[in-house]
Amino acid sequence: MPDMTGSLTIGVDVGGTKIAAAVVDEFGKLIEHLRRDTPGEDAAATERTIVDLVHELRSRHQVTGVGIGVAGFISADQATVIFAPNLAFRDEPLRHVIQEQVGLPVVVENDGNAAAWGEFRFGSGKDVNDLLLVTVGTGVGGGVVLRGEIIRGTFGIAAEIGHMRVVPRGRLCGCGRHGCWEQYASGRALVADARRLVLVSDDAGPLLAAAEHDLDKITGLLITRLAHEGDRLCVELLAQLGRWLGEGIVNLVEILDPGVVLVGGGVSDAGDLVMKPLQAAFLDGVPAAEYRPLPEIRLASMGNEAGLIGAADLARQTT
Ligand SMILES: [Zn+2]
């Protein structure tokens, strides 16, 4: 057996509520996985948590580099977190800070890009050269790989697809603008729509009862569970989410022409309840659908670990 220990790297996924870190091998397999709460208010404390996790993993494994996926805008030279809406980082030289403290090569990547890379290397996109990942959780994120490379753009901010504007003067977004895609096609939008509709719909009875008549108890998980049981309102809510996703994917496919579109994130739990309306809206919206090859739209396969594994693999590619 060849010695494979030198090919281990650490992937870190820095989200708004959790920081996950793992040792990953060259086949994208998790060797050891740790998780801590994100001290979201404090950049220095967030960095200390990352460093602690790396030290702990290094005490048990021989690793050659660290890849960090961050939910934020990353500079084009992949050194600085320019802005992160749910983290304390503002113009933070994260690569330098972590590299100094752990003494290993570090790469910093946007979390959506890292997840797209993970799916491209080891997941649902490993059979194509060009893919679009749409991650639907609380918001909408994603990443683009074209010709086997992550598309980062001139300033490092490409593929912020959740803030693609789909409705002029539409719903107010967390980014401060109106009509962004994630205000219509995300978990947060699903719940907001449900809380609105439940007050006026004739089909609201079962959802209201399941939520004990408390709007705060209406969650994406509850809607998905009831929809799987056939509840009419919840089925329609997920179908509407799917249609909005399909609409946005039409635009992105027109620009990118990917070989495959992967849909990941919490919405995967809804399966066909979202994917069928999504497919229908996509086919209905894409120009000349019957005269051209179209990308397959699939569920992403790596779940929450795509970003972690993608970041670790990016560290391996650059170190
Ligand atoms: Zn926005």
Side-chain angles (χ1 to χ4, degrees):
M1 277 289 286
D3 178 16
M4 292 288 190
T5 51
S7 62
L8 299 178
T9 54
I10 292 175
V12 184
D13 188 14
V14 185
T17 55
K18 296 278 178 206
I19 301 177
V23 175
V24 181
D25 75 9
E26 65 193 289
F27 308 108
K29 188 166 160 267
L30 291 185
I31 307 293
E32 186 180 348
H33 191 181
L34 303 173
R35 195 186 283 262
R36 302 267 166 81
D37 289 337
T38 307
E41 308 301 303
D42 183 344
T46 305
E47 288 163 349
R48 272 198 303 281
T49 305
I50 297 170
V51 170
D52 286 351
L53 286 165
V54 170
H55 279 151
E56 185 175 341
L57 291 169
R58 276 184 89 187
S59 71
R60 293 189 284 274
H61 307 275
Q62 193 186 340
V63 300
T64 57
V66 179
I68 307 176
V70 180
F73 294 171
I74 311 300
S75 62
D77 63 0
Q78 294 180 267
T80 304
V81 183
I82 301 170
F83 174 73
N86 299 309
L87 295 166
F89 295 141
R90 301 287 181 272
D91 226 6
E92 182 68 20
L94 187 66
R95 184 170 71 193
H96 178 75
V97 170
I98 303 298
Q99 214 158 251
E100 287 275 286
Q101 295 187 53
V102 302
L104 283 171
V106 171
V107 297
V108 177
E109 184 59 79
N110 168 269
D111 61 341
N113 290 354
W117 186 256
E119 293 285 350
F120 169 70
R121 290 274 291 140
F122 307 110
S124 283
K126 65 183 176 190
D127 57 333
V128 296
N129 279 323
D130 309 288
L131 72 80
L132 163 68
L133 171 68
V134 181
T135 307
V136 188
T138 310
V140 175
V144 175
V145 176
L146 291 182
R147 296 186 175 181
E149 286 189 28
I150 294 173
I151 299 303
R152 301 188 178 91
T154 302
F155 305 109
I157 309 173
E160 285 293 338
I161 57 176
H163 301 283
M164 174 171 72
R165 191 180 296 214
V166 294
V167 179
R169 295 177 296 283
R171 295 178 186 168
L172 179 64
C173 182
C175 72
R177 298 293 184 260
H178 289 263
C180 297
W181 194 25
E182 74 171 23
Q183 295 310 316
Y184 299 86
S186 66
R188 194 186 285 130
L190 174 72
V191 169
D193 285 340
R195 288 176 182 168
R196 236 185 332 263
L197 268 179
V198 90
L199 300 175
V200 294
S201 167
D202 294 337
D203 296 322
L207 179 56
L208 268 177
E212 297 163 346
H213 293 265
D214 179 351
L215 293 191
D216 289 342
K217 289 189 179 161
I218 296 179
T219 62
L221 276 177
L222 180 64
I223 295 164
T224 304
R225 180 167 68 76
L226 291 189
H228 278 301
E229 291 166 6
D231 178 71
R232 272 174 62 166
L233 179 64
C234 293
V235 166
E236 174 51 25
L237 282 163
L238 288 176
Q240 183 178 299
L241 174 69
R243 289 193 293 271
W244 273 114
L245 283 168
E247 290 288 336
I249 289 169
V250 165
N251 295 339
L252 292 165
V253 163
E254 287 304 289
I255 297 165
L256 299 168
D257 193 20
V260 66
V261 178
L262 306 179
V263 179
V267 79
S268 317
D269 297 341
D272 280 351
L273 290 164
V274 164
M275 291 299 274
K276 285 209 163 133
L278 186 162
Q279 297 270 6
F282 174 70
L283 287 175
D284 195 44
V286 76
E290 55 278 50
Y291 301 108
R292 61 189 275 191
L294 287 168
E296 197 185 322
I297 304 179
R298 305 175 187 158
L299 287 174
S301 63
M302 295 173 68
N304 287 334
E305 286 159 4
L308 200 60
I309 292 170
D313 193 63
L314 287 164
R316 183 172 301 101
Q317 311 260 331
T318 28
T319 57

